Amino acid sequence: MEKLSKREQSATLVESYVNIFQCPICGSSMYVAELKSIKCSKNHSFDLARQGYLNLLITPTKTKYDKQLFESRKYLMGEHSFFEPVISKIYEFIETYTNQNKLTILDTGSGDGSHLAKIRKLLVDAGKDVNGVGIDIAKEGILVAAKYYPKLVWCVADLANTPFRDKSFHVILNILSPSNYQEFNRILHDDGILIKVVPRSDYLKEVRTFFYNDSEKQLYSNDDIIRHFKERTQLLHQETVKYMVTLNKDAIKALVMMTPLTWGIDENKIDQFLRKGSAKITVDVDILIGSKV
Ligand SMILES: C[S@@+](CC[C@H](N)C(=O)[O-])C[C@H]1O[C@@H](n2cnc3c(N)ncnc32)[C@H](O)[C@@H]1O
Ligand SMILES: [Zn+2]
């Protein structure tokens, strides 16, 4: 048998759970046509890219994030285990707060896709059947995700106006990304959970201190975000995860490239940071678990 192309492989995967999709233009149901595109009953058509992702944005959006930023995130999150303790916690929470054996999970603002891929693997290794979908408004992020993680469906889409039918997901992940609670509520199963990860004041504090000293960019509070989460969902659990990671030279470079914190900073100052042989960096986040109100 001839080997399927990357596009055809993704089309086959999309086909196996095409019932969660709805047309971003007219809202009607969709089907996969000739392993090339996804179409609705009114014939609105969206091509699967040869790299194996779907573009379901109606208006193309240019973002500030480029390919290098997402490749750097992939290196740090995917290979360097920068987020491992957070990922393990999320996995535990999914095991605790869901009771299905077959889970459909959406990562909103999935970036380079590493988090969703790791969480899926932990669940699959524990015997769960997982349908995973990642969406991001930045095509550059979805390109990286589709390149490294072909077992998941990747879509360029807006989390404020998603191409999914009501009550499609058992778990919605929202990691260091903006939220739209109305939309999350619409596409979440009645007994589904929303897991949001928000940075706390010490997140990447060594980077802030080095580049900003005492200036106001250093100060950060997540109070408003948490208050908003509690107003819009039924809070089931909140947990702080804080740890330090020792980064080698390559990982320090990836860190500098993946964070907007270093945008607009003087080259010399960046070089100074990159000259470090190793660095201890703090990860400090809150994980919030909510259900529908
Ligand atoms: C700080 S990054 C976090 C990425 C990833 N979740 C992680 O933790 O590495 C925020 C992400 O949200 C995405 N994003 C921002 N607005 C969005 C929207 N309206 N719809 C979908 N994604 C969005 C950005 O493109 C970016 O990839
Ligand atoms: Zn349509």
Side-chain angles (χ1 to χ4, degrees):
M1 205 178 97
E2 241 178 84
K3 198 172 172 291
L4 293 181
S5 69
K6 184 127 191 175
R7 177 193 280 138
E8 288 164 339
Q9 282 176 40
S10 309
T12 309
L13 191 61
V14 171
E15 197 159 44
S16 65
Y17 38 110
V18 74
N19 57 338
I20 64 171
F21 286 89
Q22 69 177 27
C23 176
I25 297 172
C26 70
S28 52
S29 57
M30 306 199 83
Y31 63 95
V32 172
E34 295 165 16
L35 296 189
K36 272 195 199 135
S37 62
I38 174 167
K39 284 187 178 169
C40 80
S41 47
K42 296 199 176 128
N43 234 6
H44 298 123
S45 176
F46 301 86
D47 287 341
L48 262 149
R50 74 185 151 75
Q51 296 94 337
Y53 69 89
L54 273 169
N55 191 338
L56 293 160
L57 264 189
I58 308 168
T59 7
T61 310
K62 189 102 195 82
T63 73
K64 296 171 289 199
Y65 298 162
D66 63 7
K67 180 165 179 275
Q68 196 175 44
L69 178 143
F70 288 113
E71 285 282 2
S72 302
R73 279 192 102 83
K74 152 77 175 73
Y75 177 74
L76 205 62
M77 307 290 188
E79 266 113 88
H80 216 82
S81 306
F82 191 66
F83 244 50
E84 219 62 38
V86 180
I87 298 304
S88 300
K89 273 281 168 206
I90 294 176
Y91 160 68
E92 281 170 29
F93 291 142
I94 295 176
E95 289 283 16
T96 308
Y97 290 99
T98 63
N99 47 25
Q100 294 83 357
N101 230 352
K102 192 170 163 51
L103 288 170
T104 308
I105 303 183
L106 174 69
D107 189 2
T108 55
S110 54
D112 63 281
S114 306
H115 301 327
L116 179 59
K118 283 177 181 258
I119 291 163
R120 176 191 171 273
K121 180 156 191 329
L122 289 170
L123 289 163
V124 168
D125 288 350
K128 294 267 192 302
D129 187 352
V130 180
N131 287 340
V133 185
I135 60 168
D136 202 289
I137 206 158
K139 186 174 113 185
E140 292 71 16
I142 292 297
L143 268 168
V144 172
K147 176 167 149 194
Y148 295 105
Y149 306 116
K151 291 187 179 142
L152 295 136
V153 168
W154 301 106
C155 311
V156 183
D158 183 357
L159 63 80
N161 181 20
T162 68
F164 305 113
R165 301 186 80 76
D166 296 359
K167 304 185 186 182
S168 289
F169 297 98
H170 302 104
V171 179
I172 297 181
L173 304 172
N174 182 238
I175 305 174
L176 310 177
S177 297
S179 296
N180 186 300
Y181 295 106
Q182 195 179 338
E183 185 65 352
F184 294 169
N185 202 47
R186 181 183 74 75
I187 59 178
L188 197 59
H189 266 285
D190 286 338
D191 57 355
I193 52 166
L194 168 64
I195 303 182
K196 182 169 177 70
V197 177
V198 228
R200 286 165 50 84
S201 56
D202 281 350
Y203 183 63
L204 308 185
K205 105 172 154 205
E206 298 75 11
V207 181
R208 287 169 208 275
T209 309
F210 186 88
F211 289 111
Y212 297 98
N213 301 316
D214 315 307
S215 68
E216 92 280 0
K217 252 206 165 151
Q218 226 200 106
L219 303 168
Y220 173 82
S221 154
N222 66 17
D223 292 353
D224 284 352
I225 300 175
I226 292 181
R227 192 170 31 77
H228 201 202
F229 185 94
K230 288 179 179 166
E231 280 164 11
R232 303 302 301 271
T233 73
Q234 175 73 46
L235 183 72
L236 300 174
H237 187 68
Q238 174 174 354
E239 193 157 321
T240 300
V241 182
K242 187 171 183 179
Y243 54 93
M244 295 191 79
V245 188
T246 305
L247 300 183
N248 65 19
K249 225 174 164 44
D250 286 344
I252 293 171
K253 193 166 172 210
L255 176 70
V256 165
M257 285 176 170
M258 75 155 209
T259 168
L261 278 175
T262 52
W263 290 354
I265 297 282
D266 180 62
E267 289 280 321
N268 292 331
K269 190 87 183 160
I270 291 188
D271 282 348
Q272 221 179 310
F273 195 75
L274 290 178
R275 254 178 264 135
K276 292 169 186 281
S278 81
K280 280 199 152 95
I281 303 290
T282 307
V283 175
D284 181 24
V285 298
D286 278 323
I287 305 180
L288 309 169
I289 322 280
S291 62
K292 288 196 184 196
V293 273

